[in-house]
Every structure is written in structure tokens, then in C-alpha cells.
């Protein structure tokens, strides 16, 4: 018994108490299993730290920075009025030289134009979206540059370049693009039309989109998801419809939008109406190559901009036959619609004047 106690005491002496670092980091005398356990534990800690830093950066630091930048821009907005004034701005001529020119614009947006001659308008779905709109020489530059033309992954909100927006002309369909940022800035609020259902639309069915020359209001008639990946199925290239060569092309575009729409507001649309399309990325079902699109028609001169939200129709979900109400694409049907198909066109074709589709 004394010998046993002696050995026991000796073993206790040999077992030195591990320090914090020894219990955390692999040591020379650790077994292979213990080393693996510590490495996995350390990796998990690093991932947790990285995730925490990312959350703090994206949701607090970066979000605040973008918000502050946006507020500084909005401070440039003047008092709301219909007054037109003449201002001097810098533009680049055909030879690449910077020259000063006079431009007559709404006084409300004069300071924007003085800061950036690419300024063409201002889009507002109050209080969710409030931002100036620029138009570049292509659809690439402002994806990664801010209003002041400084490089940034946040980009800025911009109009399709194909048809220049001037005092004398506007596209038949003004398409405006903006990033859907994790920081909930730019065009991220548009995702609420999908996430929050028809109730959000009922409170936000009107869009104010002024050019720097004229004030305008638009009424939403379609909200839909568009697929950009042909390997997944049907692709609707709505971005190709900036102008329309004839009534048939116009009617087809509007019909395709209604076929895909989550909701119907029931407003009438006719060839010659000015359209507005807001476009942003959407990550709800497929991480890439999906767009959330909101399409509206300009309020006519003799028309009230007020609709009755109680007449709006919810076109999401499935019909009485178990088919999807809105038109989507092959992979969506198989993955998210339980292999159901589109139930077919059911909206009132009289909404499009003299529609023959």
C-alpha cells in the first residue's frame, strides 16, 4: 500500500497543470487526436471572429457610411417646386475636352447637376427609396462608382444608357438599375414588394420619378422575378425594352410583365404610355442571375394618381388547380413549385388597350 501511494503521488507530480495557451494551442506532447481537436476548435473560433467582424462591418460601419453618403447627397436637393433655372455645368465634348455649358433644369435638382453632369433624375418611393439617378455612357461604369464617380462596390442608381434623357426626349421605358445591398441601401427596399406581400404594395403603389426637367408620377402595374440564367429555363430580357418599334412589341412587353407579376393593380395601359422599370438583384431563390423588377406606367395629365388598394389582386401562390399563378421558369417549377406548371394567363386582357395577344 505505501508503494502504491508513492507511485500515485509521483504521477500527480508529473502531471503539470496546463496553462491557458497549452489547453488552446497544440503542444509537443499532445496526442494526434488532441492536436486535431485543438486545430478544429481554433478554426471555429477564427470563423466566429470573422463572422462577427463581417456583421459589424456590413450592418453598422458600412451601412452607416453609405447612409451618411446618401444623406449628404440628399442635402443637395432644393425646395420642391416647378421652377426652372439656368445653370452652368461642366461636360465633356466630343474631343474629350471639359467645357462649360448652360442647362435649364428644375431648381430642386440644380446642385446635383452642378456636382455631376450625368445627373438625369430623382426617384422616390417615400420613405423607402430616395436617390438621385445618373445616366452614363454605358451600363457598367456606375455599377462600381458612386455619384461623385469615385470607385466603390456600392455603385449608384443609374438609368439605362441606350436612350439619352434630355429636356426634349425620354425613353419609352426608362429602366433604372440599383444594387440590392446587404446594408439595406440603394434598391434593397424594393425587395419588400416580394417579402411583405400585397400589403406593402397597397401602401407604396405610386413612384415619384422626376427628370431634372420635369416632375412625374408613375403607378405600379407589375412586380416580378426575372431569370437571367438560360440553363435554368425561360429568360425574360426585359432590359432590352427601352424603346418599342410598334404597338405589338409594346403590348408583348406589358403582357409578359403581367404574366409574371405577383400582384395586379388593374390600371389600364396603352401604346404610347411612358413606362418606368426599376431593377435590382434578388437572392430569394437562386443566389445569382435573378432580378426583382417593378414596372409602372406614368400618370396621364387628365388622370388622378390615387388608386383604390382594395381592388388590387394577389397573384402569388397557386390557383384552384394547384398550378402556379405567375409565370416563372423550369428550375423554379421543379424546385419551388413542387413540379407544377404555370396555370396560364388569367389577368383581364382589357387592361391593355386593343390587346390582340
Amino acid at each position: 500500500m505505501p508503494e502504491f501511494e508513492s507511485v500515485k503521488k509521483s504521477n500527480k507530480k508529473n502531471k503539470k497543470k496546463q496553462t491557458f495557451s497549452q489547453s488552446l494551442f497544440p503542444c509537443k506532447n499532445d496526442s494526434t487526436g488532441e492536436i486535431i481537436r485543438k486545430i478544429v476548435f481554433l478554426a471555429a473560433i477564427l470563423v466566429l471572429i470573422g463572422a462577427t467582424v463581417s456583421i459589424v462591418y456590413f450592418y453598422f460601419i458600412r451601412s452607416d457610411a453609405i447612409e451618411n453618403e446618401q444623406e449628404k447627397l440628399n442635402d443637395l436637393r432644393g425646395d420642391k417646386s416647378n421652377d426652372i433655372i439656368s445653370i452652368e455645368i461642366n461636360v465633356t465634348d466630343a474631343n474629350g475636352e471639359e467645357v462649360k455649358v448652360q442647362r435649364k433644369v428644375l431648381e430642386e435638382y440644380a446642385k446635383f447637376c452642378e456636382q455631376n453632369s450625368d445627373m438625369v433624375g430623382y426617384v422616390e418611393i417615400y420613405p423607402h427609396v430616395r436617390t438621385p439617378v445618373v445616366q452614363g455612357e454605358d451600363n457598367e461604369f456606375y455599377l462600381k462608382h458612386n455619384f461623385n464617380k469615385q470607385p466603390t462596390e456600392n455603385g449608384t442608381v443609374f438609368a439605362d444608357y441606350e436612350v439619352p434623357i434630355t429636356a426634349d426626349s425620354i425613353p419609352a421605358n426608362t429602366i433604372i438599375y440599383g444594387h440590392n445591398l446587404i446594408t439595406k441601401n440603394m434598391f434593397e427596399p424594393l425587395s419588400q414588394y416580394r417579402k411583405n406581400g400585397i400589403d406593402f404594395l397597397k401602401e407604396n403603389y405610386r413612384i415619384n420619378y422626376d427628370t431634372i426637367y420635369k416632375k412625374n408620377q408613375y403607378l405600379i402595374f407589375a412586380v416580378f422575378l426575372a431569370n437571367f440564367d438560360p440553363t435554368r429555363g425561360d429568360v425574360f430580357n426585359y432590359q432590352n425594352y427601352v424603346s418599342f418599334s410598334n404597338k405589338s412589341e409594346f403590348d408583348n412587353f406589358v403582357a409578359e410583365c403581367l404574366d409574371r407579376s405577383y400582384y395586379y393593380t388593374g390600371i389600364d395601359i396603352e401604346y404610347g404610355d411612358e413606362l418606368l422599370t426599376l431593377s435590382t438583384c434578388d437572392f430569394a431563390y437562386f443566389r445569382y442571375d435573378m432580378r426583382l423588377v417593378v414596372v409602372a406606367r406614368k400618370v396621364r395629365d387628365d388622370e388622378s394618381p390615387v388608386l383604390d388598394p382594395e381592388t388590387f389582386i394577389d397573384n402569388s401562390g397557386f390557383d384552384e388547380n394547384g398550378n402556379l399563378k405567375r409565370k416563372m421558369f423550369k428550375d423554379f417549377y421543379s424546385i419551388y413549385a413542387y413540379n407544377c406548371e404555370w396555370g396560364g394567363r388569367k389577368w383581364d386582357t382589357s387592361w391593355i388597350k386593343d390587346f390582340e395577344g
Side-chain angles (χ1 to χ4, degrees), residues 1-12:
M1 184 65 102
E3 289 183 6
F4 175 75
E5 289 179 353
S6 176
V7 172
K8 193 173 180 181
K9 289 178 182 179
S10 176
N11 286 340
K12 283 184 178 181

Side-chain angles (χ1 to χ4, degrees), residues 147-251:
F147 184 85
N148 297 314
K149 299 185 178 183
Q150 299 164 331
T152 170
E153 291 298 315
N154 303 327
T156 196
V157 174
F158 65 95
D160 193 285
Y161 80 101
E162 288 188 43
V163 178
I165 297 170
T166 70
D168 302 314
S169 68
I170 190 170
N173 180 24
T174 300
I175 304 178
I176 301 178
Y177 305 96
H179 286 306
N180 181 348
L181 299 179
I182 192 173
T183 54
K184 301 187 182 302
N185 303 100
M186 299 299 176
F187 267 3
E188 189 278 339
L190 295 183
S191 64
Q192 293 186 52
Y193 283 107
R194 175 184 55 75
K195 293 177 181 177
N196 296 344
I198 198 168
D199 288 337
F200 185 80
L201 176 65
K202 287 180 177 181
E203 295 178 358
N204 301 276
Y205 62 80
R206 189 168 55 245
I207 302 171
N208 294 321
Y209 169 62
D210 300 339
T211 67
I212 58 175
Y213 313 102
K214 185 180 179 183
K215 291 181 173 293
N216 309 284
Q217 290 183 307
Y218 293 78
L219 300 172
I220 294 172
F221 66 83
V223 178
F224 62 89
L225 286 175
N227 172 42
F228 265 43
D229 184 351
T231 65
R232 293 201 186 108
D234 178 45
V235 172
F236 177 34
N237 292 310
Y238 64 90
Q239 76 282 3
N240 293 340
Y241 293 89
V242 178
S243 57
F244 306 98
S245 57
N246 52 53
K247 182 181 185 303
S248 177
E249 189 173 74
F250 175 89
D251 288 357

